[in-house]
Amino acid sequence: MKRLLYLFIFLFAVIAHIPAAENKKGDQEDNERMAWWREARFGMFIHWGLYTIPAGEWEGNTNHAEWIRTTAQIPIEQYDKFVDEFNPFKFNADEWVRMARDAGMKYIVITSKHHDGFNLFDSQYTDYDIMSTPFKRDMMEELANACRKYGLKICWYYSIMDWHHPDYLPRRGWENRSPKGADLERYIAYMKNQLKELVQNYGDIGVLWFDGEWEETWAHEYGKDLYNYVRSLQPSIIINNRVDIGRAGMQGLTREGEYAGDFGTPEQEIPPTGLPGIDWETCMTMNNHWGYNKNDDNWKSTEDLIQKLADIASKGGNFLLNVGPTAEGLFPQPSIDRLAAIGEWMETNSDAIYGTQASPFKHLSWGRCTQKSIKGGTRLYLHVFSWPANGRLVVPGVYSQPGRAFLLSDPTKELNVHREEDALIINTPDVAPNPINSVVVLDLVGKPDVNDPPMISAEYDIFIDETNVSITSVRENIIIRYTLDGSVPTLKSPIVDGPIRLTNTARVSARVFRDGKPVSGSIHAEYTKVVPSPDVDLNGIAQGLKYSYYEGSWDQLPDFKALEVVAAGVTSTFDIFLREQSDYFGFQYEGFILLPEDGIYSFYTDSDDGSRFYIGSTMVVENDGLHGMNEERGSIALRAGYHPIRVTFFEKGGGNQLKVSYQGPNINKQAISPQILFHKN
Ligand code: H79
């Protein structure tokens, strides 16, 4: 559907871990379904549940929050007692929704069920819900109604991981609750029943925001099925990518492949650059915790939050900003203060956020930019964090004709704009209209034409005999000139009129020209001619790789050679697990891979946690460290025949998978098949 190969990023992702495919902006139907969400740009996350009663503190440790049942290892019977205590008598749905609305937020995502399994809504499929508390009011219904009243969308967070339901697997490692008799299929039926309640009993729902999808029991087939099920209940609903297993760690974007989900979910981070054509939403806390923690005073400043909102919008994303209400049902005062301050800024400046698109500029020294199409042109919203002291706001590298410019806070007063070479200079008043982020509007004729250099790409940055390099630009009315010796292209350099064939190592430079003048900086890329590594002669080999298995707690790959081998054997796949232990282990696989022809090969490891891939003594893939499923790639030139390989892998906590794949001449990316793996007897 929308998971077209994002070819462009892919080509540049040679060794980097940029996601190659994503939640691409899709067809007409998807565009209509996503329209309100893209327009909204700003929403409120609410984490609320039984865990607010201990408020983050347990037996002297003050750093817990919504994970407290697990992080403090509270036995289930003891945790369940909070049900008898939960009585947020000060809860007022209208007040909460008004605070969100007044901050400029357009939707609310609340934890209908978090990982602890407790339901804040009235569910007929469990007694572990709000109706079993002294409070006994379906606050989700009250919130849904208030949202409707104030014109916000109500959205449900729903955790797939469930530490309470007897059928959910796996159990926590520290628990002595037996998994015997548990049946994940039955648990999925339970989730579907609850999701039906959530989607059908509260009017139209904006988003279903899944989470807790990373444990090894959850699978792509389940995710896809759950996505389709929820869409079948309400076709217009939007579903995040955590419904499936495609999320790439905390960066949150969807990895390459056929995964379900409408948008990526970076958690506590903002992508470093915009991601053209991709829907994503950064969720973030105002202090250090999602659930209420009475000791957490580490609040982000209002300035930081307002600038983060602009930063995210300038990269084409949404901002889902969290509030963790208390057990009484109140927003913490520091959250109230920040929401009000953001609201004050939005009062004047929300045009620069709602319905905007990512900045055309890669970098602006004084702040950020968002844009909207207007009749005959483009409106740029210049978010100025550092107001120019000299009265000159420099908009660098823009060739479009300027139209009007004015302060968003005072549209009646025009600002003077003039050109100095490739920059537009806006004359600004001495005093910033807003100390945190003053928005200057600049209209342009037509689409923004900025001084972006061309793109240089080839399948690999190494080659054996020859390679084709393509140099392209999306800009109009331009020619591209290039050099192969690293020098900056001039008017005398050759013009790009197709792929450039290289037969020797080259430093390719390219630059955009228009009307006999350069209209971009130059960009460079290195392509290196290499001699393929020779194959090795082998006799006495057998199918499969040798593995050695280790146990220990590491934050990065240890030197396995120095460790005691706990178990060893021969395997035909990489995803063997000695199942007694799902955490705190490591593997080293050694043997040979048989390749059919000379060429450049790419190898990939996709692992949780760290892994590396070696050919002989060359580390081809570096994917070390503590992380969720994360894929890295590396490339190497190899002769046909046998090559020594070694793969190392370790797992600390959480998910525990290793996938190894490759790609080569006439071989599409695929898992390494057991048929081509060998070891010496
Ligand atoms: O609800 C809030 C948190 O309680 C929940 N998500 C937000 C919105 C959350 N659960 N866990 N975490 C946040 C951090 C967990 C990170 C890890 Fe993983 C889980 C590391 C390894 C497994 C996620 C999946 C990151 C990498 C893979």
Side-chain angles (χ1 to χ4, degrees):
M1 209 171 20
K2 23 199 162 57
R3 263 146 289 285
L4 295 171
L5 186 65
Y6 189 26
L7 183 63
F8 206 56
I9 286 190
F10 184 69
L11 291 174
F12 281 85
V14 178
I15 301 180
H17 56 225
I18 306 167
E22 243 310 316
N23 325 285
K24 279 225 70 175
K25 292 190 179 165
D27 53 28
Q28 186 65 20
E29 195 193 311
D30 284 337
N31 284 339
E32 279 168 23
R33 192 164 54 90
M34 297 298 293
W36 74 262
W37 188 90
R38 291 177 188 154
E39 171 76 26
R41 284 283 171 259
F42 191 26
M44 177 181 282
F45 216 166
I46 301 180
H47 276 71
W48 203 30
L50 297 181
Y51 42 79
T52 58
I53 295 169
E57 188 163 344
W58 197 259
E59 291 171 354
N61 183 327
T62 57
N63 203 25
H64 303 288
E66 77 286 355
W67 272 67
I68 194 166
R69 160 111 209 284
T70 281
T71 51
Q73 306 197 348
I74 305 175
I76 194 163
E77 312 77 44
Q78 198 175 352
Y79 190 84
D80 286 355
K81 295 208 175 91
F82 292 138
V83 174
D84 306 326
E85 276 182 67
F86 194 60
N87 192 9
F89 59 97
K90 293 185 179 160
F91 169 70
N92 180 324
D94 271 44
E95 255 171 35
W96 283 18
V97 175
R98 276 200 304 266
M99 283 190 274
R101 179 201 61 181
D102 293 345
M105 293 159 158
K106 296 291 194 184
Y107 57 108
I108 292 178
V109 182
I110 183 161
T111 49
S112 68
K113 181 189 91 168
H114 204 266
H115 307 333
D116 64 2
F118 179 76
N119 300 272
L120 281 182
F121 65 105
D122 178 3
S123 173
Q124 57 166 293
Y125 298 98
T126 179
D127 286 336
Y128 199 53
D129 72 350
I130 192 65
M131 301 317 267
S132 302
T133 68
F135 192 61
K136 230 179 165 55
R137 264 159 55 192
D138 187 346
M139 57 254 277
M140 296 301 100
E141 183 176 17
E142 295 175 24
L143 268 177
N145 290 339
C147 277
R148 214 148 289 129
K149 176 166 154 192
Y150 293 109
L152 279 74
K153 298 263 188 191
I154 185 74
C155 311
W156 306 130
Y157 170 106
Y158 188 90
S159 174
I160 292 170
M161 177 165 72
D162 188 317
W163 303 330
H164 188 270
H165 197 283
D167 281 322
Y168 179 79
L169 290 173
R171 300 278 192 257
R172 302 307 92 205
W174 53 269
E175 258 186 311
N176 47 15
R177 264 204 308 156
S178 164
K180 247 176 92 191
D183 176 353
L184 194 75
E185 302 289 336
R186 215 159 45 204
Y187 173 68
I188 292 171
Y190 167 78
M191 282 204 293
K192 285 184 169 174
N193 282 330
Q194 291 210 316
L195 289 163
K196 192 167 192 174
E197 295 180 313
L198 284 166
V199 174
Q200 297 191 332
N201 296 352
Y202 301 91
D204 263 13
I205 302 306
V207 176
L208 248 171
W209 211 106
F210 287 98
D211 198 9
E213 84 293 5
W214 60 82
E215 299 207 293
E216 64 267 21
T217 45
W218 196 242
H220 168 61
E221 295 68 47
Y222 296 144
K224 197 167 112 184
D225 176 63
L226 202 57
Y227 178 93
N228 291 333
Y229 175 73
V230 173
R231 286 286 305 276
S232 78
L233 298 173
Q234 186 195 311
S236 66
I237 206 163
I238 295 171
I239 302 170
N240 72 342
N241 68 344
R242 298 190 188 185
V243 69
D244 200 344
I245 58 169
R247 167 166 67 126
M250 301 295 269
Q251 307 98 313
L253 300 167
T254 308
R255 287 176 290 123
E256 187 190 341
E258 278 286 321
Y259 295 109
D262 296 317
F263 62 93
T265 50
E267 178 167 326
Q268 301 286 37
E269 49 183 277
I270 301 175
T273 63
L275 302 157
I278 290 168
D279 288 308
W280 56 274
E281 172 191 72
T282 283
C283 58
M284 200 177 275
T285 51
M286 288 198 206
N287 55 359
N288 289 347
H289 295 88
W290 297 96
Y292 179 64
N293 178 308
K294 63 185 175 201
N295 293 298
D296 183 353
D297 287 325
N298 193 21
W299 296 92
K300 295 180 179 72
S301 68
T302 299
E303 175 175 11
D304 189 14
L305 293 171
I306 289 174
Q307 294 186 349
K308 281 190 160 78
L309 175 61
D311 184 31
I312 290 167
S314 80
K315 293 167 179 172
N318 281 17
F319 192 21
L320 188 64
L321 182 58
N322 185 67
V323 176
T326 66
E328 291 186 323
L330 297 177
F331 283 10
Q333 191 59 42
S335 300
I336 296 175
D337 297 343
R338 281 156 185 76
L339 291 171
I342 296 169
E344 202 177 309
W345 183 85
M346 286 290 276
E347 177 89 32
T348 308
N349 298 294
S350 64
D351 276 356
I353 300 291
Y354 298 144
T356 57
Q357 289 180 321
S359 174
F361 302 100
K362 295 226 160 60
H363 174 79
L364 292 167
S365 60
W366 38 255
R368 300 290 184 275
C369 174
T370 53
Q371 61 170 319
K372 268 182 212 166
S373 289
I374 54 172
K375 202 160 164 273
T378 306
R379 174 156 292 180
L380 299 184
Y381 296 94
L382 309 172
H383 297 249
V384 187
F385 300 169
S386 334
W387 193 251
N390 60 0
R392 287 162 47 93
L393 181 67
V394 179
V395 187
V398 49
Y399 298 95
S400 313
Q401 277 280 106
R404 300 172 60 217
F406 55 89
L407 298 176
L408 194 52
S409 57
D410 186 3
T412 56
K413 227 170 67 221
E414 296 245 347
L415 303 178
N416 198 288
V417 190
H418 70 276
R419 176 173 294 286
E420 290 180 13
E421 300 184 354
D422 69 352
L424 291 173
I425 314 294
I426 304 174
N427 290 111
T428 44
D430 290 343
V431 180
N434 186 296
I436 294 171
N437 175 4
S438 306
V439 178
V440 175
V441 176
L442 172 62
D443 289 346
L444 299 176
V445 178
K447 286 193 210 137
D449 181 34
V450 302
N451 69 352
D452 286 345
M455 306 287 180
I456 306 179
S457 61
E459 196 176 3
Y460 301 101
D461 56 8
I462 52 176
F463 61 96
I464 297 173
D465 298 314
E466 58 173 57
T467 188
N468 279 325
V469 173
S470 89
I471 306 182
T472 56
S473 170
V474 293
R475 296 171 60 188
E476 289 165 8
N477 305 319
I478 51 122
I479 55 172
I480 306 172
R481 295 178 187 273
Y482 71 98
T483 62
L484 298 180
D485 60 1
S487 63
V488 174
T490 66
L491 279 170
K492 295 199 186 95
S493 308
I495 293 174
V496 175
D497 57 1
I500 291 155
R501 190 164 151 268
L502 298 182
T503 51
N504 285 304
T505 293
R507 181 169 159 87
V508 179
S509 304
R511 192 174 194 188
V512 178
F513 290 78
R514 180 188 286 138
D515 302 332
K517 275 185 255 152
V519 289
S520 82
S522 70
I523 187 165
H524 316 277
E526 304 262 4
Y527 295 94
T528 309
K529 185 166 182 165
V530 294
V531 177
S533 303
D535 57 313
V536 293
D537 275 341
L538 282 185
N539 38 45
I541 52 165
Q543 208 85 44
L545 296 177
K546 285 187 175 162
Y547 72 81
S548 31
Y549 170 79
Y550 306 85
E551 287 178 357
S553 174
W554 310 286
D555 292 344
Q556 54 190 47
L557 281 163
D559 178 9
F560 285 126
K561 294 214 166 70
L563 297 177
E564 186 195 333
V565 176
V566 175
V570 171
T571 173
S572 58
T573 63
F574 292 98
D575 50 5
I576 53 161
F577 289 106
L578 302 183
R579 276 285 166 188
E580 313 88 79
Q581 190 142 337
S582 67
D583 289 324
Y584 307 110
F585 65 84
F587 271 101
Q588 176 159 261
Y589 302 87
E590 278 178 293
F592 299 88
I593 188 168
L594 177 60
L595 299 172
E597 57 180 298
D598 294 3
I600 310 288
Y601 288 84
S602 282
F603 294 93
Y604 305 78
T605 70
D606 189 4
S607 64
D608 173 350
D609 292 288
S611 57
R612 284 183 179 141
F613 184 102
Y614 299 83
I615 295 273
S617 58
T618 307
M619 193 205 304
V620 182
V621 182
E622 162 64 296
N623 194 4
D624 197 10
L626 277 183
H627 49 68
M629 284 307 280
N630 179 53
E631 184 176 80
E632 300 289 341
R633 149 177 154 162
S635 303
I636 183 168
L638 299 171
R639 287 266 178 248
Y642 293 100
H643 291 270
I645 69 166
R646 183 160 67 93
V647 179
T648 53
F649 167 60
F650 84 97
E651 153 60 18
K652 190 173 185 184
N656 55 8
Q657 282 188 64
L658 167 67
K659 295 179 190 162
V660 184
S661 36
Y662 79 132
Q663 169 187 315
N666 302 311
I667 301 170
N668 291 331
K669 185 183 171 195
Q670 55 191 267
I672 295 182
S673 109
Q675 270 83 44
I676 62 169
L677 295 175
F678 300 89
H679 66 281
K680 246 185 169 150
N681 277 327

